[in-house]
Amino acid sequence: MADTSSRTDASTDGDTDPRDLGSERGQMMLAGASDSSDRSKDKLDQKTLRRLAQNREAARKSRLRKKAYVQQLENSRLKLTQLEQELQRARQQGVFISSSGDQAHSTGGNGALAFDAEYSRWLEEKNKQMNELRSALNAHAGDTELRIIVDGVMAHYEELFRIKSNAAKNDVFHLLSGMWKTPAERCFLWLGGFRSSELLKLLANQLEPMTERQVLGINSLQQTSQQAEDALSQGMESLQQSLAETLSSGTLGSSSSDNVASYMGQMAMAMGQLGTLEGFIRQADNLRLQTLQQMIRVLTTRQSARALLAMHDYSSRLRALSSLWLARPRE
């Protein structure tokens, strides 16, 4: 009996309760899970901090952009105010200013703005047409498809000359000044547009190889264009000389009332002479359109497409040059 009791006590003391083991394992698992959760929270906190930092940086840049934009608006407002003051001083110094004159000035300004907007839309559509034409050439499209695109481009040029004709009636000086063009384009401006003869010279190297008949046709077209341009240029010189003589006739520098009638007569005559400017613009644009149409007749469909694309690329490079020039660093 004593041995049995001893073994029983030993057995009782040596055994461990299974529930205690399960409890320890559970605590260890909970501790591990807690560590994993802490690490996950750390990662989330780091991501949140990075995101907050990025948001703060984006907000800072946005504030800087807004500040620069506000400053640009303020500068534009100051320039506009200065221009208005200069215009007001010029009006006060004028000899013959009336409400009808102010109204004509306003109408001309509105006409120039309307033309600039129309020309901008025309240029945007032309860019789309040129992209389509370039894609067709690169894809080796057939002559039928190319002809449709070429005819569309030519119709678009006809639309430009129609827009310019209407604009010349409102403000012919705006067209002559070329303010609707970029600075580099204005260097080559002639009577509100490009010189047809110079354009043919530029395109000649882009259209090779050409047949002998085509070479003769392009050369003849170039000579004809040059002669017409010379005639128009001489007409403009004669107009300028005649206008100068009209304005300088009589006594200059005198404000005597005796000269008022003479002055009014000079202004009336000068206005009549300026009225011929619209005709010069129309004739120059007709020459440009006719040169393009005859060039298309001399060339094949594919050559015509290449010629129109070369014209577009040349104009685009002039506009790009203007942008680079205006953005150049200044000392």
Side-chain angles (χ1 to χ4, degrees):
M1 284 295 290
D3 293 340
T4 302
S5 176
S6 176
R7 287 193 298 271
T8 302
D9 292 340
S11 175
T12 302
D13 294 339
D15 292 342
T16 302
D17 192 342
R19 287 173 298 179
D20 293 339
L21 292 174
S23 177
E24 292 177 359
R25 292 192 190 98
Q27 291 175 357
M28 292 175 66
M29 292 176 65
L30 288 173
S34 177
D35 292 341
S36 176
S37 176
D38 291 340
R39 287 193 297 272
S40 177
K41 288 181 178 179
D42 290 341
K43 292 182 179 179
L44 290 175
D45 290 341
Q46 292 176 1
K47 290 182 179 180
T48 301
L49 290 174
R50 285 197 299 270
R51 189 176 295 109
L52 289 174
Q54 293 172 353
N55 290 342
R56 285 194 295 270
E57 180 65 16
R60 185 184 69 84
K61 292 181 178 179
S62 178
R63 288 193 297 271
L64 291 176
R65 288 194 298 268
K66 183 178 179 181
K67 184 178 179 180
Y69 178 67
V70 171
Q71 184 63 43
Q72 183 180 1
L73 288 178
E74 180 64 18
N75 293 338
S76 299
R77 186 187 67 80
L78 292 175
K79 289 181 180 179
L80 180 59
T81 301
Q82 182 180 1
L83 288 174
E84 290 176 346
Q85 292 173 351
E86 292 177 355
L87 179 60
Q88 185 64 28
R89 285 196 297 269
R91 286 176 174 173
Q92 291 174 353
Q93 294 172 1
V95 179
F96 180 72
I97 294 178
S98 65
S99 59
S100 60
D102 292 343
Q103 183 178 3
H105 175 82
S106 176
T107 302
N110 292 336
L113 291 175
F115 170 75
D116 289 350
E118 282 192 279
Y119 178 71
S120 180
R121 287 191 292 269
W122 180 89
L123 197 60
E124 183 178 356
E125 180 61 27
K126 177 171 171 280
N127 290 335
K128 295 179 181 178
Q129 289 182 331
M130 290 300 105
N131 290 336
E132 182 183 7
L133 185 58
R134 193 188 308 276
S135 298
L137 282 173
N138 292 336
H140 304 289
D143 286 353
T144 302
E145 181 179 351
L146 286 177
R147 173 56 61 182
I148 294 174
I149 302 175
V150 167
D151 289 345
V153 174
M154 290 300 298
H156 198 53
Y157 271 108
E158 292 177 9
E159 176 67 11
L160 172 62
F161 297 132
R162 184 194 65 79
I163 295 173
K164 290 178 65 180
S165 177
N166 292 334
K169 299 175 183 177
N170 294 321
D171 191 351
V172 68
F173 290 107
H174 184 66
L175 290 180
L176 284 174
S177 68
M179 295 307 296
W180 45 286
K181 291 282 192 178
T182 60
E185 288 178 297
R186 289 200 292 271
C187 290
F188 301 93
L189 205 65
W190 173 77
L191 288 180
F194 58 85
R195 283 182 177 269
S196 302
S197 59
E198 294 297 327
L199 182 64
L200 290 173
K201 290 179 183 178
L202 294 173
L203 293 178
N205 295 331
Q206 303 292 329
L207 300 177
E208 296 179 350
M210 289 191 295
T211 64
E212 182 177 355
R213 183 176 181 180
Q214 287 178 325
V215 172
L216 291 174
I218 294 296
N219 289 340
S220 175
L221 181 58
Q222 181 183 341
Q223 292 175 3
T224 303
S225 299
Q226 182 68 64
Q227 292 171 359
E229 290 166 3
D230 291 343
L232 286 173
S233 296
Q234 290 173 6
M236 278 293 295
E237 291 177 2
S238 297
L239 172 61
Q240 291 172 352
Q241 182 178 356
S242 177
L243 186 61
E245 292 174 353
T246 299
L247 295 176
S248 62
S249 63
T251 303
L252 295 176
S254 175
S255 58
S256 172
S257 58
D258 295 337
N259 295 322
V260 173
S262 175
Y263 172 83
M264 295 301 296
Q266 289 173 344
M267 290 299 104
M269 186 178 298
M271 287 292 291
Q273 292 169 337
L274 287 179
T276 61
L277 283 176
E278 182 183 339
F280 279 103
I281 291 289
R282 188 182 301 108
Q283 292 180 62
D285 278 344
N286 286 339
L287 174 62
R288 284 184 267 265
L289 178 59
Q290 291 173 10
T291 301
L292 287 176
Q293 292 172 338
Q294 293 179 27
M295 179 189 73
I296 295 299
R297 295 190 189 101
V298 172
L299 302 176
T300 64
T301 300
R302 194 165 299 273
Q303 286 174 331
S304 299
R306 286 166 48 199
L308 293 173
L309 196 58
M311 288 172 52
H312 171 75
D313 289 345
Y314 177 71
S315 299
S316 297
R317 291 177 184 181
L318 284 177
R319 288 192 292 272
L321 178 61
S322 296
S323 299
L324 291 174
W325 173 255
L326 294 174
R328 75 192 187 282
R330 296 173 175 82
E331 297 180 356

